[in-house]
Amino acid sequence: MSGIALLRRGRLWRLLRDQGSSLIGGLIVAIVLLTALLAPWIAPRDPVEIDIVNALLPPDAEFPLGTDQGGRDVLSRIIWGTRVSLTVSLLAVVIGVTLGTLLGLFAAYHRGSWIEQVLMRLMDMIASIPLLIWAIALVGIIGVQPVTLGPLTFDNEHKLLVLIGLLYVPSLTRVTHAVAQAEMSADYVRARQVEGASPIAIVLGDVLPNCLSPIMVQATLLIAAGIVVEASVSFIGLGVQPPRPSWGSMLADARNYVFSPEWWLPVFPGIAISLTVIGFNLLGDGLRDVLDPRRVTRGLA
Amino acid sequence: MLRLLLDRLVFSVLTLLAVGLCLFVLTRSIAGTPARIVLGNEATADQIAAFDAEHGLDQPVFTQYLRWVGSIAGHLDFGRSLLTGKPVTETLAESMPITLQIVGFAFLFAVAVALPLGIVSACYPGSLADHVTRIVSVLGVSMPGFWLGLMLIRFPAVEFGWFPPGGYVPVSEGWGPHLQSLVLPSFTLGIYYIAILSRMTRSGLLEVRGLDYIRTARAMGIGRGRMLVYALKNALVPVVSVAAMAFGYMFGWALIVEYLFNLPGMSNGLLTAITSRDYTLVQAIVLVFTMLFILSNLVADLINAMLNPRLGVAR
């Protein structure tokens, strides 16, 4: 059916009216993901190489968003920064979702027993750790230099993403536990038990698919939170290390230029962060309206 | 009610002890020997042993932890900075009032703006005010506070000179300049919570509006003003508990705001302690932040139980 026909029948209009903001959110998220994937091909210039002749040029045709103190193209740095920012926030959420879902299902499976009590209380304990302060203090103590473990080298942002991911675990465990607990007493679970299915098969094969919606909603909202946390920690110099481009560290550089006329330095990276976070937040809110009418999930990271 | 209170209180203390132990062990195991940091790389083994004995660092970690907890619980003694020898409590007493002030102002500001915004947009859904509130809440949640602060420093402060671009002016230099130096930090810190709280107020009121008791009240012909008061009583239950939790979160973001505006608060103390590798100070400050955070969560729980007695029984 063509768009015009849809429009005439009012369906497209209704979709846009009810879900317009989540469509915008989805569009922004899609653009940001593509930017991160295609960074090497769409960035017009090298994001790291210093070119002092072109330092601090205002936006023009050659440098659409201007250049920074090292003569590097702000646009290219923002494009590459998308990669760093999404790597940290997505991988942190992957860690949080994996552990949180498993623990939540485990607790729900043992509902009513002491295992559930202890596990959920433990989650309450971890949840009372202030994320930002601990992330900053621990990264600060470990030091920002890369850590080598065997053949692998971990940059500072990897430490950060593991920390953020671990501190996400309680909120995802709670969400999974809340839904899975209700599912566990459903008839289909008893039917599977009578069939002789193993607990793991029931929990992962039957219960988990029914819990995915609120987990997805929560994960989307946590991605948004992770982007802000990464940018903030990089801003105070304990996140992504220079010369690697990240939005937070670009703003940290820009902080040195608040008294001079280079307005483009603080403006554009901030717009990039805000747009990305708006995208994930709108998408998450939209998903929640559609997938989680009971509102198990909650904002405020 | 009393049982719930005791339960939460005991749990909070346990949490603090457990989290404190994690913090203590983590800092000790990652940081390496404090003696090396203080005495430098040339120090001999004897000097290091003497230093460790003097500061009790030769004891097992758990003994050290118990001693640390004991002196904090007993007489609020967080120990001394290993680098400067200055009592940590003194450092805290200097910096904490500033942090509390910023967080306090930001909190009051957020509540004072968020409630009217939420109420107006719930009373007139679909109106211009409602749309403005929605846009403010999406932007407020998504814009990183420190970027907003940077823009505020760049434009109103530097360009137009309306506010000082940073730094702290103590009360002794007059109330006017003192408050002026706190306006931008409090605004920067508060805007996120305006977004969250106004949205919760709105959705809370809209939910309550459909309930039977409001319909009955309307049928009885009760005036709009009084009805709003009735509705708010129930609608604000979730808002109040989220506000109390938000108070705890604000201390975390205050860290970034203090750094941005060059304020000599606790968070700035933490960053200085990290760069100078003064781990006793780091431990103490992180512990105090965690305490404040747990305390505000406890208050949130209790307020929730008080306003919503059914929850307390269900637990």
CSV table of all heavy atoms in Angstrom, one decimal, chain A residues 21 121 124-125 128 132-134 136-137 140-141 232 235-236 251 255 260-261 266-267 270 273-274 277-278 281 285, chain B residues 7 11 15 19 27 134 141-144 146-147 151 154 158 196 199 249 252-253 255-256 259-260 274 286 289-290 293:
chain,number,residue,atom,x,y,z
A,21,SER,N,7.1,10.7,18.3
A,21,SER,CA,8.3,11.0,18.9
A,21,SER,C,9.2,9.7,19.0
A,21,SER,O,10.4,9.8,18.9
A,21,SER,CB,8.1,11.5,20.3
A,21,SER,OG,7.3,10.6,21.1
A,121,ARG,N,18.4,-9.0,48.0
A,121,ARG,CA,19.0,-8.1,49.0
A,121,ARG,C,20.4,-7.6,48.5
A,121,ARG,O,20.8,-6.5,48.7
A,121,ARG,CB,19.1,-8.8,50.3
A,121,ARG,CG,17.7,-8.8,51.1
A,121,ARG,CD,17.4,-7.4,51.5
A,121,ARG,NE,16.1,-7.2,52.1
A,121,ARG,CZ,15.9,-6.7,53.3
A,121,ARG,NH1,16.9,-6.3,54.0
A,121,ARG,NH2,14.7,-6.5,53.7
A,124,ASP,N,20.0,-5.0,46.1
A,124,ASP,CA,19.6,-3.7,46.8
A,124,ASP,C,20.9,-3.1,47.3
A,124,ASP,O,21.1,-1.9,47.2
A,124,ASP,CB,18.7,-4.0,48.0
A,124,ASP,CG,17.3,-4.3,47.6
A,124,ASP,OD1,17.0,-4.1,46.4
A,124,ASP,OD2,16.5,-4.8,48.4
A,125,MET,N,21.9,-3.9,47.8
A,125,MET,CA,23.1,-3.4,48.3
A,125,MET,C,23.9,-2.7,47.2
A,125,MET,O,24.4,-1.6,47.3
A,125,MET,CB,24.0,-4.5,48.9
A,125,MET,CG,23.5,-4.8,50.3
A,125,MET,SD,24.8,-5.9,51.1
A,125,MET,CE,24.1,-6.0,52.8
A,128,SER,N,22.8,0.5,46.0
A,128,SER,CA,23.0,1.7,46.9
A,128,SER,C,24.5,2.2,46.8
A,128,SER,O,25.0,3.0,47.6
A,128,SER,CB,22.7,1.5,48.3
A,128,SER,OG,23.2,0.3,48.8
A,132,LEU,N,28.3,7.1,39.6
A,132,LEU,CA,29.3,8.0,39.1
A,132,LEU,C,30.5,8.2,39.9
A,132,LEU,O,31.6,8.2,39.5
A,132,LEU,CB,28.6,9.4,38.9
A,132,LEU,CG,29.2,10.4,38.0
A,132,LEU,CD1,29.3,9.8,36.6
A,132,LEU,CD2,28.5,11.7,38.0
A,133,ILE,N,30.3,8.3,41.3
A,133,ILE,CA,31.4,8.6,42.2
A,133,ILE,C,32.3,7.4,42.2
A,133,ILE,O,33.5,7.5,42.2
A,133,ILE,CB,30.8,8.9,43.6
A,133,ILE,CG1,30.2,10.3,43.5
A,133,ILE,CG2,31.9,8.9,44.6
A,133,ILE,CD1,29.3,10.6,44.6
A,134,TRP,N,31.7,6.2,42.3
A,134,TRP,CA,32.6,5.0,42.3
A,134,TRP,C,33.3,4.8,41.0
A,134,TRP,O,34.5,4.4,41.1
A,134,TRP,CB,31.7,3.8,42.7
A,134,TRP,CG,31.5,3.6,44.1
A,134,TRP,CD1,30.9,4.5,44.9
A,134,TRP,CD2,31.9,2.5,44.9
A,134,TRP,NE1,31.0,4.1,46.2
A,134,TRP,CE2,31.5,2.8,46.2
A,134,TRP,CE3,32.5,1.3,44.7
A,134,TRP,CZ2,31.8,2.0,47.3
A,134,TRP,CZ3,32.8,0.4,45.7
A,134,TRP,CH2,32.4,0.8,47.0
A,136,ILE,N,34.3,7.1,39.0
A,136,ILE,CA,35.4,8.1,39.0
A,136,ILE,C,36.5,7.7,40.0
A,136,ILE,O,37.7,7.7,39.6
A,136,ILE,CB,34.9,9.5,39.3
A,136,ILE,CG1,34.1,10.0,38.1
A,136,ILE,CG2,36.0,10.4,39.7
A,136,ILE,CD1,33.3,11.2,38.4
A,137,ALA,N,36.1,7.3,41.2
A,137,ALA,CA,37.2,7.0,42.2
A,137,ALA,C,38.0,5.7,41.8
A,137,ALA,O,39.2,5.7,41.9
A,137,ALA,CB,36.5,6.7,43.5
A,140,GLY,N,40.1,6.4,38.9
A,140,GLY,CA,41.2,7.2,39.4
A,140,GLY,C,42.3,6.4,40.1
A,140,GLY,O,43.5,6.7,39.9
A,141,ILE,N,41.9,5.5,40.9
A,141,ILE,CA,42.8,4.7,41.7
A,141,ILE,C,43.6,3.7,40.8
A,141,ILE,O,44.8,3.6,40.9
A,141,ILE,CB,42.1,3.9,42.8
A,141,ILE,CG1,41.5,4.8,43.8
A,141,ILE,CG2,43.1,3.0,43.5
A,141,ILE,CD1,40.6,4.2,44.8
A,232,SER,N,30.6,12.5,30.8
A,232,SER,CA,31.0,13.2,32.0
A,232,SER,C,32.3,12.8,32.6
A,232,SER,O,33.1,13.7,33.0
A,232,SER,CB,29.9,13.0,33.1
A,232,SER,OG,28.6,13.3,32.6
A,235,PHE,N,35.0,14.1,30.5
A,235,PHE,CA,35.1,15.5,30.6
A,235,PHE,C,36.0,15.9,31.8
A,235,PHE,O,36.8,16.8,31.7
A,235,PHE,CB,33.7,16.1,30.9
A,235,PHE,CG,33.7,17.6,31.1
A,235,PHE,CD1,34.0,18.5,30.1
A,235,PHE,CD2,33.3,18.1,32.4
A,235,PHE,CE1,34.0,19.8,30.3
A,235,PHE,CE2,33.3,19.5,32.6
A,235,PHE,CZ,33.7,20.3,31.6
A,236,ILE,N,36.0,15.1,32.9
A,236,ILE,CA,36.9,15.4,34.0
A,236,ILE,C,38.2,14.7,33.8
A,236,ILE,O,39.1,14.8,34.7
A,236,ILE,CB,36.3,15.2,35.3
A,236,ILE,CG1,35.9,13.7,35.5
A,236,ILE,CG2,35.1,16.0,35.6
A,236,ILE,CD1,35.5,13.4,36.9
A,251,LEU,N,34.8,18.3,24.9
A,251,LEU,CA,34.2,19.4,25.7
A,251,LEU,C,35.2,19.8,26.8
A,251,LEU,O,35.3,21.0,27.2
A,251,LEU,CB,32.9,19.0,26.3
A,251,LEU,CG,31.7,18.9,25.4
A,251,LEU,CD1,30.5,18.3,26.0
A,251,LEU,CD2,31.4,20.2,24.8
A,255,ARG,N,36.6,23.6,27.3
A,255,ARG,CA,36.5,24.3,28.6
A,255,ARG,C,37.7,25.3,28.7
A,255,ARG,O,37.5,26.4,29.3
A,255,ARG,CB,36.6,23.3,29.7
A,255,ARG,CG,36.4,23.9,31.1
A,255,ARG,CD,36.3,22.9,32.1
A,255,ARG,NE,36.2,23.4,33.4
A,255,ARG,CZ,37.2,23.3,34.3
A,255,ARG,NH1,38.3,22.7,34.0
A,255,ARG,NH2,37.0,23.9,35.5
A,260,SER,N,37.6,32.7,25.1
A,260,SER,CA,37.9,33.2,23.8
A,260,SER,C,36.8,33.0,22.8
A,260,SER,O,35.8,32.3,23.2
A,260,SER,CB,39.2,32.5,23.3
A,260,SER,OG,39.3,31.2,23.8
A,261,PRO,N,36.9,33.6,21.6
A,261,PRO,CA,35.7,33.6,20.8
A,261,PRO,C,35.4,32.3,20.1
A,261,PRO,O,34.5,32.2,19.3
A,261,PRO,CB,36.0,34.7,19.8
A,261,PRO,CG,37.5,34.8,19.8
A,261,PRO,CD,38.0,34.4,21.1
A,266,PRO,N,32.8,24.3,22.1
A,266,PRO,CA,31.9,23.7,23.1
A,266,PRO,C,30.5,23.3,22.5
A,266,PRO,O,29.8,22.4,23.0
A,266,PRO,CB,31.7,24.7,24.2
A,266,PRO,CG,32.0,26.0,23.5
A,266,PRO,CD,33.0,25.8,22.5
A,267,VAL,N,30.1,24.0,21.4
A,267,VAL,CA,28.7,23.9,21.0
A,267,VAL,C,28.4,22.5,20.3
A,267,VAL,O,27.6,21.8,20.7
A,267,VAL,CB,28.3,25.0,20.0
A,267,VAL,CG1,27.0,24.7,19.3
A,267,VAL,CG2,28.1,26.3,20.8
A,270,GLY,N,28.5,19.0,22.2
A,270,GLY,CA,27.4,18.9,23.1
A,270,GLY,C,26.1,18.6,22.4
A,270,GLY,O,25.3,17.8,22.9
A,273,ILE,N,26.1,14.9,21.7
A,273,ILE,CA,25.7,14.1,22.8
A,273,ILE,C,24.2,14.2,23.1
A,273,ILE,O,23.5,13.2,23.2
A,273,ILE,CB,26.4,14.6,24.1
A,273,ILE,CG1,27.9,14.5,24.0
A,273,ILE,CG2,26.0,13.7,25.3
A,273,ILE,CD1,28.6,15.1,25.2
A,274,SER,N,23.7,15.5,23.1
A,274,SER,CA,22.3,15.7,23.4
A,274,SER,C,21.4,15.0,22.4
A,274,SER,O,20.4,14.3,22.8
A,274,SER,CB,21.9,17.1,23.4
A,274,SER,OG,22.8,17.8,24.3
A,277,VAL,N,21.4,11.2,23.0
A,277,VAL,CA,20.7,10.8,24.2
A,277,VAL,C,19.2,11.0,24.0
A,277,VAL,O,18.4,10.1,24.4
A,277,VAL,CB,21.2,11.6,25.4
A,277,VAL,CG1,20.4,11.2,26.6
A,277,VAL,CG2,22.7,11.3,25.6
A,278,ILE,N,18.8,12.1,23.3
A,278,ILE,CA,17.4,12.3,23.0
A,278,ILE,C,16.9,11.1,22.2
A,278,ILE,O,15.8,10.6,22.5
A,278,ILE,CB,17.2,13.6,22.3
A,278,ILE,CG1,17.4,14.8,23.2
A,278,ILE,CG2,15.8,13.7,21.7
A,278,ILE,CD1,17.3,16.1,22.4
A,281,ASN,N,16.4,8.1,24.4
A,281,ASN,CA,15.4,8.3,25.4
A,281,ASN,C,14.0,8.2,24.7
A,281,ASN,O,13.1,7.6,25.2
A,281,ASN,CB,15.5,9.6,26.1
A,281,ASN,CG,16.4,9.5,27.3
A,281,ASN,OD1,16.6,8.5,27.9
A,281,ASN,ND2,17.1,10.6,27.6
A,285,ASP,N,11.2,5.5,25.6
A,285,ASP,CA,9.9,5.8,26.0
A,285,ASP,C,8.8,5.2,25.1
A,285,ASP,O,7.8,4.7,25.6
A,285,ASP,CB,9.7,7.4,26.0
A,285,ASP,CG,10.4,8.0,27.2
A,285,ASP,OD1,10.8,7.2,28.1
A,285,ASP,OD2,10.5,9.2,27.3
B,7,ASP,N,13.8,-2.6,60.0
B,7,ASP,CA,14.3,-3.4,59.0
B,7,ASP,C,15.2,-2.6,58.0
B,7,ASP,O,16.3,-3.0,57.7
B,7,ASP,CB,13.1,-4.0,58.2
B,7,ASP,CG,13.5,-4.9,57.1
B,7,ASP,OD1,13.9,-6.0,57.3
B,7,ASP,OD2,13.5,-4.4,55.9
B,11,PHE,N,19.2,-2.8,57.6
B,11,PHE,CA,19.7,-3.1,56.2
B,11,PHE,C,20.7,-2.0,55.7
B,11,PHE,O,21.7,-2.3,55.1
B,11,PHE,CB,18.6,-3.3,55.3
B,11,PHE,CG,19.0,-3.7,53.9
B,11,PHE,CD1,19.6,-4.9,53.7
B,11,PHE,CD2,18.9,-2.8,52.8
B,11,PHE,CE1,20.1,-5.3,52.4
B,11,PHE,CE2,19.3,-3.2,51.6
B,11,PHE,CZ,19.9,-4.4,51.4
B,15,THR,N,24.5,-2.6,54.7
B,15,THR,CA,24.9,-2.2,53.3
B,15,THR,C,26.1,-1.3,53.4
B,15,THR,O,27.1,-1.5,52.7
B,15,THR,CB,23.8,-1.4,52.6
B,15,THR,OG1,22.6,-2.2,52.6
B,15,THR,CG2,24.2,-1.1,51.2
B,19,VAL,N,29.6,-2.3,51.7
B,19,VAL,CA,30.1,-1.5,50.7
B,19,VAL,C,31.4,-0.8,51.1
B,19,VAL,O,32.3,-0.7,50.3
B,19,VAL,CB,29.0,-0.4,50.3
B,19,VAL,CG1,29.6,0.6,49.4
B,19,VAL,CG2,27.8,-1.1,49.6
B,27,THR,N,40.5,-0.2,47.3
B,27,THR,CA,41.6,0.9,47.3
B,27,THR,C,42.9,0.3,47.7
B,27,THR,O,43.9,0.6,47.2
B,27,THR,CB,41.2,2.1,48.2
B,27,THR,OG1,40.4,1.6,49.2
B,27,THR,CG2,40.6,3.2,47.4
B,134,ARG,N,6.7,19.2,28.1
B,134,ARG,CA,7.1,18.0,27.5
B,134,ARG,C,8.5,18.2,26.9
B,134,ARG,O,9.4,17.4,27.1
B,134,ARG,CB,6.1,17.5,26.5
B,134,ARG,CG,6.4,16.1,26.1
B,134,ARG,CD,5.3,15.6,25.1
B,134,ARG,NE,5.9,14.7,24.1
B,134,ARG,CZ,6.4,13.5,24.4
B,134,ARG,NH1,6.3,13.0,25.7
B,134,ARG,NH2,6.9,12.7,23.5
B,141,VAL,N,16.3,15.8,30.4
B,141,VAL,CA,16.8,14.5,30.6
B,141,VAL,C,17.9,14.2,29.7
B,141,VAL,O,18.9,13.4,30.1
B,141,VAL,CB,15.6,13.5,30.5
B,141,VAL,CG1,16.2,12.0,30.5
B,141,VAL,CG2,14.6,13.6,31.5
B,142,SER,N,17.9,14.7,28.5
B,142,SER,CA,18.9,14.3,27.5
B,142,SER,C,20.2,15.2,27.5
B,142,SER,O,21.2,14.7,27.1
B,142,SER,CB,18.3,14.3,26.2
B,142,SER,OG,17.1,13.5,26.2
B,143,MET,N,20.1,16.5,27.8
B,143,MET,CA,21.3,17.3,27.7
B,143,MET,C,22.1,17.0,28.9
B,143,MET,O,21.7,17.0,30.0
B,143,MET,CB,20.9,18.8,27.8
B,143,MET,CG,20.6,19.4,26.5
B,143,MET,SD,20.5,21.2,26.6
B,143,MET,CE,19.4,21.4,27.9
B,144,PRO,N,23.4,16.7,28.6
B,144,PRO,CA,24.3,16.4,29.8
B,144,PRO,C,24.4,17.7,30.6
B,144,PRO,O,24.7,18.8,30.0
B,144,PRO,CB,25.6,16.0,29.2
B,144,PRO,CG,25.5,16.2,27.7
B,144,PRO,CD,24.1,16.5,27.4
B,146,PHE,N,26.7,19.0,32.4
B,146,PHE,CA,27.9,19.8,32.3
B,146,PHE,C,28.0,20.5,31.0
B,146,PHE,O,28.6,21.6,31.0
B,146,PHE,CB,29.1,18.8,32.5
B,146,PHE,CG,29.4,17.9,31.4
B,146,PHE,CD1,30.3,18.3,30.4
B,146,PHE,CD2,28.9,16.7,31.3
B,146,PHE,CE1,30.6,17.4,29.3
B,146,PHE,CE2,29.1,15.8,30.3
B,146,PHE,CZ,30.0,16.2,29.3
B,147,TRP,N,27.4,20.0,30.0
B,147,TRP,CA,27.4,20.8,28.7
B,147,TRP,C,26.5,22.1,28.9
B,147,TRP,O,27.0,23.2,28.5
B,147,TRP,CB,26.9,20.0,27.5
B,147,TRP,CG,26.9,20.7,26.3
B,147,TRP,CD1,28.0,21.4,25.7
B,147,TRP,CD2,25.8,21.0,25.4
B,147,TRP,NE1,27.6,22.0,24.5
B,147,TRP,CE2,26.3,21.8,24.3
B,147,TRP,CE3,24.5,20.7,25.5
B,147,TRP,CZ2,25.4,22.3,23.3
B,147,TRP,CZ3,23.6,21.1,24.4
B,147,TRP,CH2,24.1,21.9,23.4
B,151,MET,N,27.8,25.9,28.4
B,151,MET,CA,27.1,26.9,27.6
B,151,MET,C,26.7,28.1,28.5
B,151,MET,O,26.8,29.3,28.0
B,151,MET,CB,25.8,26.3,27.0
B,151,MET,CG,26.0,25.2,26.0
B,151,MET,SD,27.3,25.2,24.9
B,151,MET,CE,27.2,26.4,23.9
B,154,ARG,N,29.8,30.0,29.0
B,154,ARG,CA,30.2,30.7,27.8
B,154,ARG,C,29.4,31.9,27.5
B,154,ARG,O,29.9,32.9,27.1
B,154,ARG,CB,30.1,29.6,26.6
B,154,ARG,CG,30.6,30.1,25.3
B,154,ARG,CD,32.1,30.1,25.3
B,154,ARG,NE,32.7,30.6,24.0
B,154,ARG,CZ,32.6,31.8,23.6
B,154,ARG,NH1,31.8,32.6,24.3
B,154,ARG,NH2,33.1,32.2,22.5
B,158,VAL,N,30.3,34.7,30.6
B,158,VAL,CA,31.5,35.4,29.9
B,158,VAL,C,31.0,36.5,29.0
B,158,VAL,O,31.5,37.6,29.1
B,158,VAL,CB,32.4,34.3,29.2
B,158,VAL,CG1,33.4,35.0,28.5
B,158,VAL,CG2,32.9,33.4,30.2
B,196,ILE,N,12.6,15.3,35.3
B,196,ILE,CA,12.1,14.1,35.8
B,196,ILE,C,10.9,14.3,36.7
B,196,ILE,O,9.8,13.7,36.5
B,196,ILE,CB,13.2,13.4,36.7
B,196,ILE,CG1,14.4,13.0,35.9
B,196,ILE,CG2,12.6,12.2,37.4
B,196,ILE,CD1,14.5,11.6,35.5
B,199,ARG,N,7.6,15.6,35.0
B,199,ARG,CA,7.0,14.6,34.2
B,199,ARG,C,6.2,13.6,35.2
B,199,ARG,O,5.1,13.2,34.9
B,199,ARG,CB,8.0,13.8,33.5
B,199,ARG,CG,7.6,13.4,32.1
B,199,ARG,CD,8.8,13.0,31.4
B,199,ARG,NE,8.5,11.8,30.7
B,199,ARG,CZ,9.4,11.2,30.0
B,199,ARG,NH1,10.6,11.7,29.9
B,199,ARG,NH2,9.1,10.0,29.4
B,249,TYR,N,21.2,11.1,44.2
B,249,TYR,CA,21.9,11.1,43.0
B,249,TYR,C,22.6,12.4,42.7
B,249,TYR,O,23.6,12.5,42.1
B,249,TYR,CB,20.9,10.9,41.8
B,249,TYR,CG,20.4,9.4,41.7
B,249,TYR,CD1,19.2,9.0,42.1
B,249,TYR,CD2,21.3,8.5,41.2
B,249,TYR,CE1,18.8,7.7,42.0
B,249,TYR,CE2,20.9,7.2,41.0
B,249,TYR,CZ,19.6,6.8,41.5
B,249,TYR,OH,19.2,5.5,41.4
B,252,GLY,N,26.2,12.9,43.2
B,252,GLY,CA,27.1,12.4,42.2
B,252,GLY,C,27.4,13.4,41.1
B,252,GLY,O,28.5,13.7,40.7
B,253,TRP,N,26.3,14.0,40.6
B,253,TRP,CA,26.4,14.9,39.5
B,253,TRP,C,27.1,16.2,40.0
B,253,TRP,O,27.6,17.0,39.2
B,253,TRP,CB,25.1,15.2,38.9
B,253,TRP,CG,24.6,13.9,38.2
B,253,TRP,CD1,23.7,13.1,38.6
B,253,TRP,CD2,25.2,13.3,37.0
B,253,TRP,NE1,23.6,12.0,37.8
B,253,TRP,CE2,24.5,12.1,36.8
B,253,TRP,CE3,26.2,13.7,36.1
B,253,TRP,CZ2,24.8,11.3,35.7
B,253,TRP,CZ3,26.5,12.9,35.1
B,253,TRP,CH2,25.8,11.7,34.8
B,255,LEU,N,29.6,16.4,41.6
B,255,LEU,CA,31.0,16.2,41.3
B,255,LEU,C,31.4,16.9,40.0
B,255,LEU,O,32.4,17.7,40.0
B,255,LEU,CB,31.3,14.7,41.2
B,255,LEU,CG,32.7,14.3,41.1
B,255,LEU,CD1,33.1,13.9,42.5
B,255,LEU,CD2,32.9,13.1,40.2
B,256,ILE,N,30.7,16.7,39.0
B,256,ILE,CA,31.0,17.2,37.6
B,256,ILE,C,30.7,18.8,37.7
B,256,ILE,O,31.6,19.5,37.2
B,256,ILE,CB,30.1,16.6,36.6
B,256,ILE,CG1,30.0,15.1,36.7
B,256,ILE,CG2,30.4,17.1,35.2
B,256,ILE,CD1,31.2,14.4,36.2
B,259,TYR,N,33.5,20.6,39.5
B,259,TYR,CA,34.7,20.6,38.6
B,259,TYR,C,34.5,21.7,37.6
B,259,TYR,O,35.4,22.5,37.4
B,259,TYR,CB,34.9,19.3,38.0
B,259,TYR,CG,36.0,19.2,36.9
B,259,TYR,CD1,37.3,19.1,37.3
B,259,TYR,CD2,35.7,19.3,35.6
B,259,TYR,CE1,38.3,19.0,36.4
B,259,TYR,CE2,36.6,19.3,34.6
B,259,TYR,CZ,38.0,19.1,35.0
B,259,TYR,OH,39.0,19.1,34.1
B,260,LEU,N,33.4,21.7,37.0
B,260,LEU,CA,33.1,22.7,35.9
B,260,LEU,C,33.2,24.1,36.4
B,260,LEU,O,33.8,25.0,35.7
B,260,LEU,CB,31.7,22.4,35.3
B,260,LEU,CG,31.2,23.4,34.2
B,260,LEU,CD1,32.1,23.3,33.0
B,260,LEU,CD2,29.8,23.0,33.8
B,274,ILE,N,42.5,12.2,44.1
B,274,ILE,CA,42.9,11.2,43.1
B,274,ILE,C,44.2,11.5,42.4
B,274,ILE,O,45.1,10.7,42.3
B,274,ILE,CB,41.7,11.0,42.1
B,274,ILE,CG1,40.6,10.3,42.8
B,274,ILE,CG2,42.2,10.2,40.9
B,274,ILE,CD1,39.3,10.2,41.9
B,286,VAL,N,34.6,9.0,49.2
B,286,VAL,CA,33.7,8.1,48.6
B,286,VAL,C,32.8,7.5,49.6
B,286,VAL,O,31.6,7.4,49.4
B,286,VAL,CB,34.5,7.0,47.8
B,286,VAL,CG1,33.5,6.0,47.3
B,286,VAL,CG2,35.3,7.6,46.7
B,289,PHE,N,30.1,10.1,50.5
B,289,PHE,CA,29.1,10.2,49.4
B,289,PHE,C,28.1,9.0,49.5
B,289,PHE,O,26.9,9.1,49.3
B,289,PHE,CB,29.8,10.2,48.0
B,289,PHE,CG,30.2,11.5,47.5
B,289,PHE,CD1,31.5,11.9,47.3
B,289,PHE,CD2,29.2,12.5,47.3
B,289,PHE,CE1,31.8,13.1,46.8
B,289,PHE,CE2,29.5,13.7,46.8
B,289,PHE,CZ,30.8,14.1,46.6
B,290,THR,N,28.7,7.8,49.7
B,290,THR,CA,27.9,6.6,49.7
B,290,THR,C,26.9,6.7,50.9
B,290,THR,O,25.7,6.3,50.8
B,290,THR,CB,28.8,5.3,49.8
B,290,THR,OG1,29.8,5.4,48.9
B,290,THR,CG2,28.0,4.1,49.6
B,293,PHE,N,24.1,8.9,50.0
B,293,PHE,CA,23.3,8.3,49.0
B,293,PHE,C,22.4,7.2,49.7
B,293,PHE,O,21.2,7.2,49.5
B,293,PHE,CB,24.2,7.6,48.0
B,293,PHE,CG,23.5,7.1,46.8
B,293,PHE,CD1,23.0,8.0,45.9
B,293,PHE,CD2,23.4,5.7,46.6
B,293,PHE,CE1,22.4,7.5,44.7
B,293,PHE,CE2,22.7,5.3,45.5
B,293,PHE,CZ,22.3,6.1,44.5
